[in-house]
Amino acid sequence: MTHDSEVDSRVADEPIRLSPYDPAWPTGFEREAEILTEVLGSHVAGGVHHVGSTAVPGLTAKPIIDIMVGVVDLDSSRPCIDLLAGLSYCYAPYRQDVMHWFCKPTPQRRTHHLHLVPTGSQRFTDVLAFRDYLRAHPDAVRRYEQLKLQLAVRHVHDRDAYTDGKSALVASITADARRWLARRG
């Protein structure tokens, strides 16, 4: 099924551009979270969370607010695709087995990424653990930031290569985060 807000995979993404941490990002998230909570209503089953690099104080990031909404499952949250189109979110069938993914307002000029993720999934747990671990471990933030800066220069026009280049470190930090959470009980 094609939706009016679906992103055409032939459309070019905007270049990778990193910015120093902006203390306004959490406020931007809060404003958007209120709107999303109202529009998505009962589809929100696991909260609306600020995730990604803009959710980690002090971390250099693409100036794109990442938001994860916990949903019951992917099938029952499909109506959200049309609901979110009214908020200028473009749906992209990316990693459809684990989430519904959106960008706003366009792939060429992104201000927000939105991930609808089932609350019982490993992805939901891991994304929150990764964020919380970075918030509590400045050494991990610096390692992650250094890699991001190198990859942004090397892959300025290749978003997939930039993301792929982070995958080993993200997996390592996520494993550390799982152990850290297990110790915290």
Side-chain angles (χ1 to χ4, degrees):
M1 177 196 307
T2 301
H3 296 271
D4 290 339
S5 64
E6 194 163 311
V7 173
D8 183 342
S9 62
R10 296 168 296 176
V11 175
D13 283 327
E14 68 179 324
I16 301 293
R17 180 178 57 88
L18 298 179
S19 299
Y21 180 78
D22 184 341
W25 288 336
T27 304
F29 160 75
E30 290 295 335
R31 281 194 306 268
E32 197 71 11
E34 287 178 25
I35 295 165
L36 290 168
T37 300
E38 183 177 321
V39 168
L40 298 178
S42 64
H43 291 284
V44 178
V48 179
H49 304 275
H50 190 188
V51 298
S53 295
T54 62
V56 180
L59 180 56
T60 297
K62 294 186 304 289
I64 300 169
I65 296 173
D66 275 297
I67 301 169
M68 182 173 69
V69 175
V71 296
V72 171
D73 58 50
L74 296 177
D75 287 338
S76 68
S77 62
R78 287 201 64 77
C80 295
I81 296 170
D82 291 330
L83 293 172
L84 291 164
L87 298 176
S88 300
Y89 278 97
C90 301
Y91 173 70
Y94 169 74
R95 301 197 61 197
Q96 297 177 76
D97 57 324
V98 295
M99 69 178 144
H100 296 306
W101 187 89
F102 305 81
C103 63
K104 176 180 176 175
T106 70
Q108 301 82 17
R109 171 67 182 96
R110 300 175 186 197
T111 60
H112 297 77
H113 287 162
L114 176 62
H115 316 253
L116 303 186
V117 181
T119 57
S121 70
Q122 189 67 54
R123 179 167 185 84
F124 185 82
T125 303
D126 284 350
V127 167
L128 294 176
F130 182 82
R131 177 204 61 196
D132 293 347
Y133 187 83
L134 287 178
R135 285 177 172 174
H137 295 86
D139 56 318
V141 170
R142 295 305 143 229
R143 285 192 343 257
Y144 187 47
E145 183 174 68
Q146 287 306 312
L147 178 61
K148 288 170 47 147
L149 291 167
Q150 292 167 8
L151 292 169
V153 170
R154 191 176 314 143
H155 302 295
V156 68
H157 296 290
D158 189 343
R159 187 171 291 272
D160 290 335
Y162 171 81
T163 300
D164 291 346
K166 297 186 305 180
S167 63
L169 183 58
V170 168
S172 175
I173 293 172
T174 300
D176 291 343
R178 288 179 188 149
R179 286 188 293 277
W180 174 69
L181 286 176
R183 283 192 305 271
R184 292 177 62 203

